[in-house]
Short mmCIF file of all heavy atoms in Angstrom, two decimals:
data_model
loop_
_atom_site.label_atom_id
_atom_site.label_comp_id
_atom_site.label_asym_id
_atom_site.label_seq_id
_atom_site.Cartn_x
_atom_site.Cartn_y
_atom_site.Cartn_z
N MET D 1 -44.76 38.42 23.55
CA MET D 1 -46.13 38.41 24.10
C MET D 1 -46.08 38.04 25.62
O MET D 1 -45.41 37.08 26.00
CB MET D 1 -46.94 37.34 23.36
CG MET D 1 -48.32 37.11 23.93
SD MET D 1 -49.17 35.84 22.97
CE MET D 1 -50.61 35.58 24.02
N ASP D 2 -46.75 38.83 26.40
CA ASP D 2 -46.81 38.50 27.84
C ASP D 2 -48.06 37.66 28.09
O ASP D 2 -49.12 38.16 28.27
CB ASP D 2 -46.88 39.80 28.62
CG ASP D 2 -46.90 39.55 30.12
OD1 ASP D 2 -46.82 38.39 30.52
OD2 ASP D 2 -47.09 40.50 30.87
N THR D 3 -47.83 36.36 28.08
CA THR D 3 -48.98 35.46 28.22
C THR D 3 -49.60 35.47 29.60
O THR D 3 -50.68 34.97 29.78
CB THR D 3 -48.64 34.00 27.85
OG1 THR D 3 -47.50 33.61 28.63
CG2 THR D 3 -48.27 33.88 26.38
N THR D 4 -48.88 36.04 30.61
CA THR D 4 -49.45 36.07 31.96
C THR D 4 -50.76 36.88 31.97
O THR D 4 -51.63 36.67 32.79
CB THR D 4 -48.46 36.66 32.98
OG1 THR D 4 -48.15 37.98 32.58
CG2 THR D 4 -47.24 35.79 33.08
N GLN D 5 -50.89 37.80 31.03
CA GLN D 5 -52.10 38.58 30.97
C GLN D 5 -53.35 37.74 30.69
O GLN D 5 -54.46 38.12 31.03
CB GLN D 5 -51.99 39.65 29.85
CG GLN D 5 -51.03 40.74 30.15
CD GLN D 5 -50.91 41.70 28.97
OE1 GLN D 5 -51.89 42.01 28.32
NE2 GLN D 5 -49.71 42.15 28.71
N LEU D 6 -53.11 36.60 30.04
CA LEU D 6 -54.21 35.75 29.69
C LEU D 6 -54.53 34.75 30.76
O LEU D 6 -55.56 34.03 30.71
CB LEU D 6 -53.88 34.98 28.39
CG LEU D 6 -53.70 35.86 27.14
CD1 LEU D 6 -53.18 35.05 25.96
CD2 LEU D 6 -55.02 36.54 26.75
N GLY D 7 -53.70 34.63 31.76
CA GLY D 7 -53.94 33.68 32.87
C GLY D 7 -53.83 32.25 32.43
O GLY D 7 -54.51 31.36 33.01
N LEU D 8 -53.03 31.95 31.42
CA LEU D 8 -52.91 30.60 30.91
C LEU D 8 -52.01 29.74 31.80
O LEU D 8 -51.00 30.24 32.29
CB LEU D 8 -52.34 30.58 29.48
CG LEU D 8 -53.18 31.37 28.46
CD1 LEU D 8 -52.43 31.42 27.14
CD2 LEU D 8 -54.54 30.75 28.29
N ALA D 9 -52.32 28.48 31.89
CA ALA D 9 -51.45 27.53 32.63
C ALA D 9 -50.16 27.35 31.84
O ALA D 9 -50.18 27.33 30.65
CB ALA D 9 -52.16 26.22 32.81
N LYS D 10 -49.05 27.21 32.59
CA LYS D 10 -47.76 26.99 31.92
C LYS D 10 -47.76 25.56 31.33
O LYS D 10 -48.37 24.67 31.87
CB LYS D 10 -46.63 27.12 32.92
CG LYS D 10 -46.41 28.55 33.36
CD LYS D 10 -44.96 28.76 33.86
CE LYS D 10 -44.77 30.12 34.40
NZ LYS D 10 -45.20 31.22 33.49
N GLY D 11 -47.04 25.43 30.24
CA GLY D 11 -46.90 24.12 29.63
C GLY D 11 -47.01 24.25 28.12
O GLY D 11 -46.86 25.33 27.57
N LYS D 12 -47.26 23.09 27.47
CA LYS D 12 -47.37 23.10 26.03
C LYS D 12 -48.77 23.40 25.59
O LYS D 12 -49.73 22.82 26.10
CB LYS D 12 -46.96 21.71 25.48
CG LYS D 12 -45.47 21.47 25.45
CD LYS D 12 -45.15 20.30 24.54
CE LYS D 12 -43.69 20.25 24.15
NZ LYS D 12 -42.79 19.76 25.15
N TRP D 13 -48.88 24.28 24.62
CA TRP D 13 -50.15 24.66 24.02
C TRP D 13 -50.07 24.48 22.51
O TRP D 13 -49.02 24.65 21.93
CB TRP D 13 -50.47 26.12 24.35
CG TRP D 13 -50.83 26.38 25.76
CD1 TRP D 13 -49.97 26.39 26.82
CD2 TRP D 13 -52.14 26.60 26.30
NE1 TRP D 13 -50.68 26.61 28.00
CE2 TRP D 13 -52.01 26.76 27.69
CE3 TRP D 13 -53.41 26.66 25.73
CZ2 TRP D 13 -53.08 27.00 28.55
CZ3 TRP D 13 -54.48 26.92 26.57
CH2 TRP D 13 -54.34 27.04 27.94
N VAL D 14 -51.22 24.10 21.95
CA VAL D 14 -51.30 24.06 20.50
C VAL D 14 -52.10 25.26 20.02
O VAL D 14 -53.05 25.68 20.66
CB VAL D 14 -51.88 22.75 19.99
CG1 VAL D 14 -50.85 21.67 19.93
CG2 VAL D 14 -53.08 22.32 20.78
N VAL D 15 -51.70 25.81 18.90
CA VAL D 15 -52.24 27.05 18.39
C VAL D 15 -52.70 26.89 16.94
O VAL D 15 -51.91 26.38 16.11
CB VAL D 15 -51.18 28.20 18.48
CG1 VAL D 15 -51.76 29.50 17.93
CG2 VAL D 15 -50.65 28.34 19.88
N ALA D 16 -53.89 27.30 16.65
CA ALA D 16 -54.34 27.41 15.24
C ALA D 16 -54.46 28.87 14.92
O ALA D 16 -55.26 29.61 15.54
CB ALA D 16 -55.71 26.72 15.08
N ASN D 17 -53.63 29.35 14.00
CA ASN D 17 -53.56 30.76 13.65
C ASN D 17 -54.08 30.97 12.24
O ASN D 17 -53.37 30.74 11.29
CB ASN D 17 -52.13 31.25 13.83
CG ASN D 17 -51.99 32.72 13.49
OD1 ASN D 17 -52.90 33.36 13.06
ND2 ASN D 17 -50.77 33.24 13.65
N CYS D 18 -55.32 31.41 12.14
CA CYS D 18 -55.94 31.53 10.82
C CYS D 18 -55.26 32.58 9.97
O CYS D 18 -55.29 32.50 8.76
CB CYS D 18 -57.43 31.87 11.00
SG CYS D 18 -58.47 31.25 9.70
N GLY D 19 -54.59 33.52 10.61
CA GLY D 19 -53.89 34.55 9.86
C GLY D 19 -52.77 34.02 8.98
O GLY D 19 -52.31 34.70 8.07
N ARG D 20 -52.33 32.79 9.24
CA ARG D 20 -51.27 32.18 8.45
C ARG D 20 -51.81 31.56 7.16
O ARG D 20 -51.06 31.20 6.27
CB ARG D 20 -50.54 31.09 9.23
CG ARG D 20 -49.61 31.63 10.28
CD ARG D 20 -48.87 30.49 10.92
NE ARG D 20 -47.92 31.00 11.94
CZ ARG D 20 -46.63 31.16 11.73
NH1 ARG D 20 -46.12 30.90 10.56
NH2 ARG D 20 -45.87 31.58 12.69
N PHE D 21 -53.13 31.43 7.10
CA PHE D 21 -53.76 30.96 5.84
C PHE D 21 -54.12 32.16 5.02
O PHE D 21 -54.77 33.08 5.50
CB PHE D 21 -55.09 30.22 6.15
CG PHE D 21 -54.95 28.75 6.37
CD1 PHE D 21 -55.48 28.16 7.48
CD2 PHE D 21 -54.30 27.95 5.44
CE1 PHE D 21 -55.39 26.80 7.71
CE2 PHE D 21 -54.19 26.61 5.64
CZ PHE D 21 -54.73 26.03 6.76
N PRO D 22 -53.74 32.16 3.75
CA PRO D 22 -54.27 33.24 2.89
C PRO D 22 -55.79 33.09 2.78
O PRO D 22 -56.27 32.04 2.54
CB PRO D 22 -53.57 32.98 1.55
CG PRO D 22 -52.98 31.63 1.59
CD PRO D 22 -52.94 31.16 3.01
N SER D 23 -56.50 34.18 3.01
CA SER D 23 -57.95 34.11 2.84
C SER D 23 -58.45 35.51 2.38
O SER D 23 -57.87 36.51 2.72
CB SER D 23 -58.66 33.68 4.10
OG SER D 23 -58.88 34.75 4.97
N GLU D 24 -59.53 35.45 1.66
CA GLU D 24 -60.12 36.72 1.13
C GLU D 24 -60.70 37.55 2.25
O GLU D 24 -60.86 38.78 2.10
CB GLU D 24 -61.18 36.38 0.08
CG GLU D 24 -62.43 35.70 0.57
CD GLU D 24 -62.22 34.23 1.04
OE1 GLU D 24 -61.17 33.64 0.78
OE2 GLU D 24 -63.13 33.74 1.75
N LYS D 25 -60.94 36.95 3.40
CA LYS D 25 -61.57 37.69 4.51
C LYS D 25 -60.57 38.37 5.41
O LYS D 25 -60.92 39.09 6.34
CB LYS D 25 -62.39 36.74 5.39
CG LYS D 25 -63.57 36.12 4.67
CD LYS D 25 -64.22 35.13 5.58
CE LYS D 25 -65.71 35.40 5.67
NZ LYS D 25 -66.37 34.51 6.60
N ASN D 26 -59.27 38.12 5.18
CA ASN D 26 -58.24 38.63 6.05
C ASN D 26 -58.50 38.25 7.54
O ASN D 26 -58.39 39.07 8.45
CB ASN D 26 -58.12 40.17 5.93
CG ASN D 26 -56.80 40.69 6.42
OD1 ASN D 26 -55.79 39.94 6.45
ND2 ASN D 26 -56.75 41.94 6.83
N CYS D 27 -58.90 37.01 7.70
CA CYS D 27 -59.23 36.50 9.03
C CYS D 27 -57.99 36.35 9.90
O CYS D 27 -56.96 35.86 9.43
CB CYS D 27 -59.91 35.13 8.88
SG CYS D 27 -60.34 34.36 10.44
N ARG D 28 -58.03 36.82 11.15
CA ARG D 28 -56.90 36.75 12.06
C ARG D 28 -57.20 35.96 13.31
O ARG D 28 -56.58 36.15 14.35
CB ARG D 28 -56.44 38.20 12.47
CG ARG D 28 -56.19 39.10 11.29
CD ARG D 28 -54.93 38.68 10.50
NE ARG D 28 -53.74 38.71 11.31
CZ ARG D 28 -52.98 39.77 11.48
NH1 ARG D 28 -53.28 40.92 10.90
NH2 ARG D 28 -51.88 39.71 12.20
N LEU D 29 -58.20 35.09 13.23
CA LEU D 29 -58.58 34.32 14.38
C LEU D 29 -57.47 33.42 14.87
O LEU D 29 -56.78 32.78 14.09
CB LEU D 29 -59.79 33.45 14.05
CG LEU D 29 -60.39 32.61 15.20
CD1 LEU D 29 -61.13 33.53 16.17
CD2 LEU D 29 -61.31 31.54 14.69
N VAL D 30 -57.26 33.41 16.18
CA VAL D 30 -56.31 32.48 16.82
C VAL D 30 -57.06 31.65 17.85
O VAL D 30 -57.75 32.18 18.69
CB VAL D 30 -55.16 33.25 17.48
CG1 VAL D 30 -54.23 32.29 18.21
CG2 VAL D 30 -54.40 34.08 16.46
N ILE D 31 -56.90 30.36 17.77
CA ILE D 31 -57.52 29.45 18.75
C ILE D 31 -56.42 28.66 19.44
O ILE D 31 -55.48 28.17 18.75
CB ILE D 31 -58.53 28.45 18.09
CG1 ILE D 31 -59.46 29.18 17.11
CG2 ILE D 31 -59.33 27.72 19.14
CD1 ILE D 31 -60.34 28.24 16.30
N MET D 32 -56.46 28.55 20.73
CA MET D 32 -55.43 27.80 21.47
C MET D 32 -56.04 26.79 22.38
O MET D 32 -57.14 26.93 22.90
CB MET D 32 -54.63 28.77 22.38
CG MET D 32 -53.71 29.68 21.67
SD MET D 32 -52.90 30.82 22.83
CE MET D 32 -51.93 29.70 23.83
N ALA D 33 -55.28 25.69 22.60
CA ALA D 33 -55.72 24.68 23.60
C ALA D 33 -54.47 24.09 24.21
O ALA D 33 -53.41 24.04 23.61
CB ALA D 33 -56.51 23.61 22.91
N PRO D 34 -54.60 23.57 25.46
CA PRO D 34 -53.48 22.81 26.03
C PRO D 34 -53.20 21.62 25.14
O PRO D 34 -54.12 21.09 24.50
CB PRO D 34 -54.01 22.36 27.39
CG PRO D 34 -55.22 23.18 27.67
CD PRO D 34 -55.77 23.60 26.35
N ALA D 35 -51.95 21.20 25.07
CA ALA D 35 -51.54 20.10 24.17
C ALA D 35 -52.44 18.86 24.33
O ALA D 35 -52.75 18.20 23.35
CB ALA D 35 -50.08 19.77 24.38
N GLU D 36 -52.84 18.59 25.56
CA GLU D 36 -53.66 17.36 25.77
C GLU D 36 -55.06 17.53 25.24
O GLU D 36 -55.82 16.56 25.19
CB GLU D 36 -53.65 16.96 27.24
CG GLU D 36 -54.29 17.94 28.21
CD GLU D 36 -53.28 18.95 28.78
OE1 GLU D 36 -52.23 19.17 28.15
OE2 GLU D 36 -53.57 19.52 29.84
N GLN D 37 -55.44 18.74 24.87
CA GLN D 37 -56.77 18.97 24.27
C GLN D 37 -56.65 19.28 22.77
O GLN D 37 -57.54 19.98 22.20
CB GLN D 37 -57.52 20.09 24.99
CG GLN D 37 -58.11 19.67 26.29
CD GLN D 37 -58.98 20.74 26.89
OE1 GLN D 37 -58.52 21.51 27.70
NE2 GLN D 37 -60.23 20.82 26.43
N ARG D 38 -55.63 18.72 22.15
CA ARG D 38 -55.40 18.95 20.71
C ARG D 38 -56.63 18.57 19.88
O ARG D 38 -56.97 19.27 18.95
CB ARG D 38 -54.21 18.08 20.29
CG ARG D 38 -53.73 18.30 18.86
CD ARG D 38 -52.61 17.32 18.50
NE ARG D 38 -52.16 17.59 17.14
CZ ARG D 38 -51.15 18.42 16.86
NH1 ARG D 38 -50.49 18.98 17.82
NH2 ARG D 38 -50.85 18.66 15.62
N ALA D 39 -57.31 17.50 20.26
CA ALA D 39 -58.47 17.08 19.48
C ALA D 39 -59.60 18.12 19.56
O ALA D 39 -60.29 18.37 18.56
CB ALA D 39 -58.97 15.71 20.01
N ASP D 40 -59.74 18.77 20.73
CA ASP D 40 -60.75 19.81 20.87
C ASP D 40 -60.40 21.01 19.96
O ASP D 40 -61.30 21.65 19.40
CB ASP D 40 -60.83 20.29 22.32
CG ASP D 40 -61.50 19.28 23.24
OD1 ASP D 40 -62.30 18.48 22.74
OD2 ASP D 40 -61.24 19.35 24.46
N LEU D 41 -59.11 21.30 19.86
CA LEU D 41 -58.68 22.42 19.04
C LEU D 41 -58.94 22.11 17.56
O LEU D 41 -59.45 22.97 16.85
CB LEU D 41 -57.19 22.68 19.28
CG LEU D 41 -56.62 23.85 18.47
CD1 LEU D 41 -57.36 25.15 18.82
CD2 LEU D 41 -55.14 24.02 18.71
N VAL D 42 -58.65 20.91 17.13
CA VAL D 42 -58.90 20.52 15.74
C VAL D 42 -60.40 20.65 15.46
O VAL D 42 -60.83 21.18 14.42
CB VAL D 42 -58.43 19.08 15.45
CG1 VAL D 42 -58.91 18.64 14.05
CG2 VAL D 42 -56.89 19.05 15.51
N GLU D 43 -61.23 20.22 16.42
CA GLU D 43 -62.69 20.33 16.28
C GLU D 43 -63.12 21.78 16.12
O GLU D 43 -63.92 22.09 15.24
CB GLU D 43 -63.32 19.67 17.49
CG GLU D 43 -64.81 19.44 17.38
CD GLU D 43 -65.11 18.45 16.25
OE1 GLU D 43 -64.37 17.49 16.07
OE2 GLU D 43 -66.14 18.70 15.57
N ALA D 44 -62.59 22.63 16.99
CA ALA D 44 -62.98 24.06 16.94
C ALA D 44 -62.49 24.72 15.65
O ALA D 44 -63.21 25.50 15.02
CB ALA D 44 -62.36 24.77 18.16
N ALA D 45 -61.28 24.35 15.25
CA ALA D 45 -60.73 24.95 14.01
C ALA D 45 -61.53 24.47 12.80
O ALA D 45 -61.77 25.22 11.84
CB ALA D 45 -59.27 24.56 13.85
N ALA D 46 -61.94 23.20 12.81
CA ALA D 46 -62.73 22.65 11.72
C ALA D 46 -64.09 23.40 11.64
O ALA D 46 -64.56 23.77 10.56
CB ALA D 46 -62.95 21.15 11.89
N THR D 47 -64.70 23.60 12.80
CA THR D 47 -65.98 24.33 12.84
C THR D 47 -65.81 25.72 12.26
O THR D 47 -66.65 26.17 11.46
CB THR D 47 -66.47 24.42 14.30
OG1 THR D 47 -66.65 23.11 14.81
CG2 THR D 47 -67.80 25.17 14.39
N HIS D 48 -64.73 26.39 12.64
CA HIS D 48 -64.47 27.73 12.09
C HIS D 48 -64.21 27.71 10.59
O HIS D 48 -64.77 28.52 9.83
CB HIS D 48 -63.29 28.34 12.81
CG HIS D 48 -62.82 29.62 12.18
ND1 HIS D 48 -63.55 30.80 12.25
CD2 HIS D 48 -61.70 29.90 11.46
CE1 HIS D 48 -62.89 31.74 11.55
NE2 HIS D 48 -61.78 31.25 11.07
N ALA D 49 -63.43 26.75 10.14
CA ALA D 49 -63.10 26.67 8.71
C ALA D 49 -64.36 26.43 7.87
O ALA D 49 -64.52 26.99 6.80
CB ALA D 49 -62.11 25.53 8.45
N VAL D 50 -65.28 25.65 8.40
CA VAL D 50 -66.53 25.36 7.70
C VAL D 50 -67.46 26.55 7.75
O VAL D 50 -67.97 27.01 6.72
CB VAL D 50 -67.23 24.12 8.33
CG1 VAL D 50 -68.64 23.96 7.79
CG2 VAL D 50 -66.37 22.87 8.08
N ALA D 51 -67.66 27.14 8.97
CA ALA D 51 -68.62 28.22 9.12
C ALA D 51 -68.15 29.53 8.47
O ALA D 51 -68.97 30.24 7.90
CB ALA D 51 -68.85 28.48 10.62
N SER D 52 -66.86 29.83 8.54
CA SER D 52 -66.38 31.13 8.09
C SER D 52 -65.67 31.09 6.74
O SER D 52 -65.53 32.15 6.08
CB SER D 52 -65.43 31.73 9.11
OG SER D 52 -66.14 32.04 10.29
N HIS D 53 -65.14 29.93 6.36
CA HIS D 53 -64.33 29.92 5.14
C HIS D 53 -64.86 28.94 4.07
O HIS D 53 -64.17 28.71 3.06
CB HIS D 53 -62.91 29.59 5.47
CG HIS D 53 -62.24 30.61 6.36
ND1 HIS D 53 -61.91 31.87 5.90
CD2 HIS D 53 -61.88 30.58 7.66
CE1 HIS D 53 -61.36 32.55 6.93
NE2 HIS D 53 -61.37 31.80 8.00
N GLY D 54 -66.02 28.39 4.34
CA GLY D 54 -66.67 27.59 3.31
C GLY D 54 -66.00 26.25 3.01
O GLY D 54 -66.26 25.66 1.96
N HIS D 55 -65.19 25.75 3.94
CA HIS D 55 -64.59 24.43 3.73
C HIS D 55 -65.63 23.34 3.95
O HIS D 55 -66.61 23.56 4.66
CB HIS D 55 -63.43 24.19 4.72
CG HIS D 55 -62.20 25.04 4.34
ND1 HIS D 55 -61.29 24.68 3.39
CD2 HIS D 55 -61.76 26.19 4.84
CE1 HIS D 55 -60.34 25.60 3.31
NE2 HIS D 55 -60.61 26.55 4.18
N GLU D 56 -65.36 22.18 3.37
CA GLU D 56 -66.23 21.06 3.62
C GLU D 56 -65.75 20.32 4.85
O GLU D 56 -64.52 20.15 5.05
CB GLU D 56 -66.24 20.11 2.41
CG GLU D 56 -67.06 20.64 1.29
CD GLU D 56 -67.39 19.57 0.29
OE1 GLU D 56 -67.92 18.51 0.66
OE2 GLU D 56 -67.06 19.80 -0.89
N ASN D 57 -66.68 19.89 5.68
CA ASN D 57 -66.36 19.22 6.90
C ASN D 57 -66.02 17.74 6.65
O ASN D 57 -66.89 16.89 6.71
CB ASN D 57 -67.54 19.35 7.92
CG ASN D 57 -67.07 19.06 9.33
OD1 ASN D 57 -66.02 18.55 9.55
ND2 ASN D 57 -67.93 19.44 10.27
N THR D 58 -64.75 17.50 6.34
CA THR D 58 -64.34 16.17 5.94
C THR D 58 -63.15 15.75 6.85
O THR D 58 -62.47 16.57 7.43
CB THR D 58 -63.88 16.12 4.50
OG1 THR D 58 -62.76 17.05 4.35
CG2 THR D 58 -64.94 16.56 3.57
N PRO D 59 -62.87 14.41 6.89
CA PRO D 59 -61.68 13.94 7.59
C PRO D 59 -60.41 14.56 6.98
O PRO D 59 -59.44 14.84 7.72
CB PRO D 59 -61.71 12.42 7.36
CG PRO D 59 -63.12 12.13 7.11
CD PRO D 59 -63.71 13.34 6.41
N GLU D 60 -60.43 14.82 5.68
CA GLU D 60 -59.29 15.44 5.03
C GLU D 60 -59.02 16.85 5.60
O GLU D 60 -57.85 17.23 5.84
CB GLU D 60 -59.57 15.50 3.51
CG GLU D 60 -58.53 16.25 2.68
CD GLU D 60 -57.22 15.51 2.56
OE1 GLU D 60 -57.19 14.33 2.90
OE2 GLU D 60 -56.24 16.11 2.13
N LEU D 61 -60.07 17.58 5.81
CA LEU D 61 -59.94 18.97 6.38
C LEU D 61 -59.26 18.85 7.76
O LEU D 61 -58.36 19.58 8.09
CB LEU D 61 -61.31 19.64 6.47
CG LEU D 61 -61.33 20.96 7.27
CD1 LEU D 61 -60.52 22.00 6.55
CD2 LEU D 61 -62.75 21.42 7.52
N ARG D 62 -59.75 17.90 8.60
CA ARG D 62 -59.19 17.74 9.94
C ARG D 62 -57.71 17.31 9.90
O ARG D 62 -56.90 17.74 10.71
CB ARG D 62 -60.00 16.72 10.73
CG ARG D 62 -61.29 17.30 11.24
CD ARG D 62 -62.42 16.28 11.27
NE ARG D 62 -63.70 16.99 11.24
CZ ARG D 62 -64.32 17.41 12.33
NH1 ARG D 62 -63.81 17.21 13.51
NH2 ARG D 62 -65.48 18.05 12.24
N ARG D 63 -57.38 16.49 8.90
CA ARG D 63 -55.98 16.07 8.76
C ARG D 63 -55.11 17.30 8.42
O ARG D 63 -54.05 17.49 9.00
CB ARG D 63 -55.86 14.97 7.69
CG ARG D 63 -54.55 14.23 7.72
CD ARG D 63 -54.43 13.26 6.53
NE ARG D 63 -54.57 13.93 5.25
CZ ARG D 63 -53.64 14.74 4.73
NH1 ARG D 63 -52.49 14.90 5.35
NH2 ARG D 63 -53.82 15.32 3.56
N GLU D 64 -55.59 18.09 7.52
CA GLU D 64 -54.82 19.28 7.11
C GLU D 64 -54.71 20.26 8.27
O GLU D 64 -53.62 20.82 8.48
CB GLU D 64 -55.51 19.99 5.94
CG GLU D 64 -55.32 19.27 4.63
CD GLU D 64 -56.05 19.90 3.46
OE1 GLU D 64 -56.56 21.03 3.61
OE2 GLU D 64 -56.09 19.30 2.39
N LEU D 65 -55.78 20.42 9.01
CA LEU D 65 -55.74 21.32 10.17
C LEU D 65 -54.74 20.80 11.21
O LEU D 65 -54.00 21.57 11.81
CB LEU D 65 -57.12 21.46 10.79
CG LEU D 65 -58.12 22.28 9.99
CD1 LEU D 65 -59.54 22.12 10.57
CD2 LEU D 65 -57.71 23.75 9.98
N GLY D 66 -54.73 19.50 11.41
CA GLY D 66 -53.83 18.90 12.37
C GLY D 66 -52.36 19.17 12.05
O GLY D 66 -51.55 19.41 12.92
N GLU D 67 -52.04 19.22 10.74
CA GLU D 67 -50.68 19.51 10.31
C GLU D 67 -50.33 20.97 10.46
O GLU D 67 -49.14 21.35 10.57
CB GLU D 67 -50.50 19.08 8.85
CG GLU D 67 -50.48 17.58 8.63
CD GLU D 67 -50.44 17.22 7.16
OE1 GLU D 67 -50.33 18.11 6.31
OE2 GLU D 67 -50.55 16.01 6.90
N PHE D 68 -51.35 21.80 10.46
CA PHE D 68 -51.16 23.27 10.45
C PHE D 68 -50.96 23.79 11.85
O PHE D 68 -50.43 24.90 12.05
CB PHE D 68 -52.44 23.82 9.78
CG PHE D 68 -52.71 25.27 9.98
CD1 PHE D 68 -51.93 26.24 9.33
CD2 PHE D 68 -53.73 25.69 10.80
CE1 PHE D 68 -52.22 27.58 9.52
CE2 PHE D 68 -54.01 27.04 10.99
CZ PHE D 68 -53.22 27.97 10.32
N LEU D 69 -51.33 23.01 12.89
CA LEU D 69 -51.22 23.50 14.25
C LEU D 69 -49.77 23.72 14.64
O LEU D 69 -48.90 22.94 14.25
CB LEU D 69 -51.86 22.52 15.21
CG LEU D 69 -53.35 22.21 15.00
CD1 LEU D 69 -53.81 21.26 16.08
CD2 LEU D 69 -54.17 23.50 15.05
N GLU D 70 -49.51 24.74 15.44
CA GLU D 70 -48.16 24.98 15.97
C GLU D 70 -48.21 24.67 17.46
O GLU D 70 -49.22 24.87 18.14
CB GLU D 70 -47.80 26.44 15.80
CG GLU D 70 -47.73 26.90 14.36
CD GLU D 70 -47.72 28.42 14.31
OE1 GLU D 70 -46.64 28.96 14.55
OE2 GLU D 70 -48.74 29.03 14.01
N THR D 71 -47.11 24.17 17.96
CA THR D 71 -46.98 23.88 19.40
C THR D 71 -46.06 24.94 20.01
O THR D 71 -44.97 25.20 19.50
CB THR D 71 -46.40 22.50 19.66
OG1 THR D 71 -47.26 21.51 19.03
CG2 THR D 71 -46.31 22.20 21.14
N ILE D 72 -46.49 25.57 21.10
CA ILE D 72 -45.69 26.53 21.80
C ILE D 72 -45.59 26.12 23.26
O ILE D 72 -46.43 25.39 23.79
CB ILE D 72 -46.26 27.99 21.71
CG1 ILE D 72 -47.63 28.07 22.36
CG2 ILE D 72 -46.28 28.42 20.25
CD1 ILE D 72 -48.07 29.49 22.59
N GLU D 73 -44.53 26.64 23.92
CA GLU D 73 -44.32 26.35 25.34
C GLU D 73 -44.40 27.70 26.05
O GLU D 73 -43.73 28.65 25.67
CB GLU D 73 -42.92 25.71 25.55
CG GLU D 73 -42.63 25.37 26.95
CD GLU D 73 -42.70 23.89 27.20
OE1 GLU D 73 -42.42 23.10 26.27
OE2 GLU D 73 -43.09 23.52 28.32
N ILE D 74 -45.26 27.75 27.07
CA ILE D 74 -45.35 29.02 27.83
C ILE D 74 -45.12 28.78 29.30
O ILE D 74 -45.11 27.66 29.76
CB ILE D 74 -46.71 29.77 27.60
CG1 ILE D 74 -47.87 28.91 28.15
CG2 ILE D 74 -46.89 30.10 26.15
CD1 ILE D 74 -49.16 29.66 28.06
ZN1 ZN W 101 -60.51 32.22 9.80
#
């Protein structure tokens, strides 16, 4: 992937890739944030999981999402 097309700052990024979760909707949403904004990413991913996948908005959901995030270096 040529990330320069996205104009992203170099450094560590955290990625939530919904396509890695089996779902009936075949959702392929990807959300990214700089590593220092990990909390914002968990928040956005939780919002998506609740709105689109019917999860309950609980601390448990956020904990699971936190474990699911991948860290990449660009
Ligand atoms: Zn999704």
Side-chain angles (χ1 to χ4, degrees):
M1 172 181 171
D2 180 5
T3 54
T4 59
Q5 290 176 39
L6 296 171
L8 301 173
K10 290 203 186 308
K12 282 197 164 76
W13 288 74
V14 278
V15 180
N17 180 356
C18 209
R20 285 185 180 261
F21 269 130
S23 84
E24 67 291 346
K25 295 175 128 183
N26 200 25
C27 179
R28 305 293 298 273
L29 182 74
V30 175
I31 313 173
M32 286 177 66
E36 64 269 23
Q37 281 187 265
R38 187 184 182 92
D40 287 336
L41 181 60
V42 170
E43 192 62 38
T47 300
H48 171 69
V50 170
S52 293
H53 298 290
H55 288 278
E56 284 195 55
N57 197 347
T58 61
E60 175 71 12
L61 172 66
R62 282 146 202 272
R63 195 185 58 73
E64 285 177 9
L65 287 168
E67 289 175 5
F68 163 74
L69 301 181
E70 299 165 77
T71 302
I72 62 166
E73 181 105 33
I74 64 174

